[in-house]
Amino acid sequence: GSLRLEKIMAAADASKPQIGLYGLAVMGQNLALNIADNGIPIAVCNRSKDKIAATVARAKAEGDLPLTGIDEVGDFVKALSKPRTVIILVKAGKPVDASIELLAEHMEEGDLIIDGGNEWFPNSVRRAEALAAKKIDFIGMGVSGGEEGARYGPSLMPGGPRAAYDRVEPILTKISAKTDSGPCVTYVGEIGAGNHVKMVHNGIEYGDMQLISETYEVLKTLGGLSNDDLAATFGEWNKGELESFLIEITAKIFQAKDDRGEDKTAYLVDKVLDKTGMKGTGRWTVQEAAERSVPSGTIAAALEARFLSGLKDERVEAAKIITGPTDMPAVDRAQLIDDVRQALYAAKICAYAQGMNIIREAARQNGWTVNLGECARIWKGGCIIRARFLDRIKSAYDRNADLANLLVDPEFAAEINSRQHAWRRVVSLAAACGIAVPALSASLAYLDQYRRARLPANLVQAQRDFFGSHTYDRTDGLTDKPVHSEWAKLAEAASGTAPAAAAAAAPAEEPKADA
């Protein structure tokens, strides 16, 4: 890593910046300072000039870092050592296209553009094809960890040409987060793969956050835990199998007091309006899962919970009209806390299992070489879903790279099996008390369907064949082709109202209706 980086810097014109960064909003500014802080000379540019001045001032204040601000795009590109590399960090969509157009005008064959935004992966594929015509390389790179991660070490998920990645790998390695498993960056795969893996990372994040919020609701409403109790409980959980960034910050959230209101002893979490915002990556993940026919109930439930949270005014009115259970049963608090901990852990496994399967299916269909164990490894540091149990996920894929589902890994299967009773107690208690736990419930439904050798899908397929001649496969191997039956005639015959001869299973014809 660092030896290669020194060689690159020695080979390049030492007086010139080794890399450029275009787009100086919060993430861009922090990533630029991270690069400079690692001793890599960088040039920065932005559409509005005040951000350039602010970044240069921060670089000076934070240790006289090797960062140069350049106002004009042409001058910015010319200032970089060849072959040039520019990272773009602007809003996804049209701003990225506009920025690429602006930069490409001044770039030449062999140069590289890296888009570090949260982008819908087909856009990266399209941009790479357009730039390939000019012989300019393109990498779509997920960057996770928020502003803190960008400044001090994010998790990086680059996808694009292998040779282009190899060229910038020493720089990416240096600026990424580090864990006991190494730097949190890897060659994720071909163009589109990096954005896809980051998108699914965010989808898992939606699931994880929703599961935590549901455990909060159960513990608060049924267990009667105060904010202090909740802070202590999540703090304790963060010392065990649930240790993660999200559990850690949740404990801190319950401790924070309101610094804006009149009552400075009030807890800030209680002043936050119950409407969750979103930027689209969770929705993309669910769309992508649907497109590839991969079950993603936990992630979908988390997305729908955000939609429902947005209906605040409707919910306030509905609360006056629709009733629910009012008598809350007495519970053994210690037992409830332990049950909820086990339920949360088991449901989290389902969220990650779904996410990994979305990535794997997309990789299969797109011909990407994505290593799921490596995805788990680079998520261990710098990113929002960093957690102790990612080690376990990496080990599961190391044991079996072709693992059909995390749920059937022997270690995870044993953990799920031992926590099932606690999980079922939590979900059934919540349902009986009228407390919505959509992600905990969806995770359990996912498990219960996946572990069943036979599902009631036979009835759904029979209905489809009845009204739309969609055909069905037989379980007894009587025919090796799908067949269609005249269900109405068979039913009449069975009830003694019509002869059955005409209703025998007929060979499959073209389907007549959709369902």
Side-chain angles (χ1 to χ4, degrees), residues 123-154:
N123 287 341
S124 286
V125 176
R126 168 177 62 78
R127 287 167 187 146
E129 285 169 359
L131 285 166
K134 301 177 181 179
K135 296 199 164 70
I136 295 171
D137 284 326
F138 184 73
I139 285 175
M141 180 172 75
V143 179
S144 180
E147 53 187 281
E148 186 84 2
R151 177 65 184 85
Y152 299 107

Side-chain angles (χ1 to χ4, degrees), residues 21 27 30-35 38 87 89 116 141-158 171-179 182-186 198 201 377-384 386:
L21 191 142
M27 287 292 282
N30 281 311
L31 194 67
L33 291 164
N34 176 0
I35 293 168
N38 276 287
I87 297 174
L89 270 167
M141 180 172 75
V143 179
S144 180
E147 53 187 281
E148 186 84 2
R151 177 65 184 85
Y152 299 107
S155 175
L156 300 171
M157 295 154 250
I171 291 175
L172 299 183
T173 295
K174 201 152 193 187
I175 66 169
S176 68
K178 311 293 185 295
T179 71
C184 294
V185 63
T186 191
K198 173 60 165 60
H201 160 286
R377 185 190 67 74
I378 65 171
W379 290 344
K380 276 183 63 184
C383 73
I384 306 303
R386 59 184 182 266

Side-chain angles (χ1 to χ4, degrees), residues 13-187:
D13 182 346
S15 65
K16 288 193 159 195
Q18 307 302 303
I19 192 165
L21 191 142
Y22 184 84
L24 296 170
V26 175
M27 287 292 282
Q29 215 172 95
N30 281 311
L31 194 67
L33 291 164
N34 176 0
I35 293 168
D37 212 358
N38 276 287
I40 302 157
I42 181 171
V44 298
C45 187
N46 192 70
R47 203 160 50 96
S48 58
K49 310 296 174 254
D50 56 333
K51 297 257 177 74
I52 301 174
T55 309
V56 170
R58 273 188 69 187
K60 189 137 194 73
E62 293 179 27
D64 217 358
L65 305 175
L67 181 146
T68 311
I70 301 173
D71 287 359
E72 295 306 321
V73 173
D75 297 338
F76 163 70
V77 173
K78 285 190 188 80
L80 304 175
S81 64
K82 295 182 182 180
R84 306 178 185 94
T85 300
V86 178
I87 297 174
I88 302 176
L89 270 167
V90 298
K91 199 174 171 203
K94 287 179 182 169
V96 177
D97 288 316
S99 301
I100 289 172
E101 201 177 325
L102 211 56
L103 291 161
E105 203 181 312
H106 306 282
M107 296 177 89
E108 51 196 50
E109 187 176 329
D111 288 350
L112 168 65
I113 294 175
I114 301 173
D115 174 25
N118 276 334
E119 188 54 90
W120 176 232
F121 74 95
N123 287 341
S124 286
V125 176
R126 168 177 62 78
R127 287 167 187 146
E129 285 169 359
L131 285 166
K134 301 177 181 179
K135 296 199 164 70
I136 295 171
D137 284 326
F138 184 73
I139 285 175
M141 180 172 75
V143 179
S144 180
E147 53 187 281
E148 186 84 2
R151 177 65 184 85
Y152 299 107
S155 175
L156 300 171
M157 295 154 250
R162 181 77 211 211
Y165 169 76
D166 287 342
R167 202 178 89 212
V168 290
E169 182 268 327
I171 291 175
L172 299 183
T173 295
K174 201 152 193 187
I175 66 169
S176 68
K178 311 293 185 295
T179 71
D180 55 7
S181 303
C184 294
V185 63
T186 191
Y187 176 67

Side-chain angles (χ1 to χ4, degrees), residues 160-435:
R162 181 77 211 211
Y165 169 76
D166 287 342
R167 202 178 89 212
V168 290
E169 182 268 327
I171 291 175
L172 299 183
T173 295
K174 201 152 193 187
I175 66 169
S176 68
K178 311 293 185 295
T179 71
D180 55 7
S181 303
C184 294
V185 63
T186 191
Y187 176 67
V188 170
E190 294 71 11
I191 190 66
N195 298 114
H196 191 279
V197 166
K198 173 60 165 60
M199 172 193 76
V200 173
H201 160 286
N202 286 25
I204 294 170
E205 185 182 304
Y206 272 51
D208 216 342
M209 293 168 77
Q210 178 62 26
L211 288 167
I212 291 169
S213 78
E214 292 172 17
T215 64
Y216 154 59
E217 171 83 326
V218 170
L219 292 174
K220 179 183 174 182
T221 308
L222 294 180
L225 272 69
S226 67
N227 287 325
D228 285 339
D229 297 332
L230 288 161
T233 299
F234 278 90
E236 194 57 39
W237 287 355
N238 199 45
K239 295 173 187 168
E241 64 189 9
L242 286 168
E243 182 195 322
S244 62
F245 174 71
L246 285 169
I247 295 288
E248 178 192 331
I249 67 166
T250 301
K252 289 177 179 171
I253 286 168
F254 289 125
Q255 291 173 318
K257 299 288 174 62
D258 185 7
D259 58 344
R260 286 190 175 90
E262 285 180 24
D263 182 1
K264 298 291 187 273
T265 63
Y267 288 89
L268 185 55
V269 70
D270 298 324
K271 304 290 183 189
V272 177
L273 184 68
D274 54 325
K275 278 174 79 167
T276 309
M278 64 191 119
K279 290 196 172 167
T281 43
R283 182 189 283 115
W284 288 347
T285 306
V286 174
Q287 286 173 345
E288 175 66 2
E291 194 65 39
R292 304 199 185 279
S293 303
V294 179
S296 63
T298 310
I299 300 169
L303 180 66
E304 294 214 342
R306 292 199 184 193
F307 295 159
L308 262 161
S309 78
L311 304 176
K312 175 68 174 176
D313 295 342
E314 288 183 41
R315 289 188 287 114
V316 168
E317 289 308 308
K320 299 171 188 172
I321 303 162
I322 306 169
T323 61
T326 50
D327 296 332
M328 296 297 153
V331 296
D332 178 330
R333 208 157 100 148
Q335 175 75 54
L336 180 69
I337 291 170
D338 194 56
D339 279 356
V340 168
R341 174 187 61 77
Q342 293 186 63
L344 176 57
Y345 185 76
K348 270 169 73 87
I349 295 171
C350 292
Y352 282 80
Q354 292 163 21
M356 289 303 194
N357 281 5
I358 296 168
I359 294 170
R360 191 185 55 196
E361 188 55 25
R364 190 186 68 77
Q365 292 183 22
N366 288 306
W368 297 333
T369 50
V370 180
N371 180 323
L372 296 178
E374 273 290 276
C375 290
R377 185 190 67 74
I378 65 171
W379 290 344
K380 276 183 63 184
C383 73
I384 306 303
I385 63 171
R386 59 184 182 266
R388 180 193 284 193
F389 97 140
L390 284 161
D391 271 332
R392 317 283 305 287
I393 294 177
K394 183 184 183 317
S395 299
Y397 287 112
D398 286 349
R399 278 192 292 275
N400 179 4
D402 299 319
L403 188 66
N405 191 303
L406 277 176
L407 300 181
V408 295
D409 170 73
E411 282 195 20
F412 279 122
E415 294 191 320
I416 288 269
N417 289 341
S418 68
R419 288 163 178 77
Q420 267 194 58
H421 295 303
W423 189 4
R424 293 182 192 284
R425 281 195 295 270
V426 171
V427 170
S428 52
L429 178 65
C433 296
I435 293 169

Side-chain angles (χ1 to χ4, degrees), residues 468-514:
S469 301
H470 286 290
T471 75
Y472 60 93
D473 293 311
R474 292 184 62 95
T475 59
D476 56 10
L478 198 60
T479 67
D480 57 358
K481 288 181 180 161
V483 292
H484 164 61
S485 290
E486 297 287 348
W487 296 88
K489 290 178 183 173
L490 288 167
E492 284 169 11
S495 61
T497 56
E509 290 178 22
E510 284 295 305
K512 298 185 180 68
D514 187 36

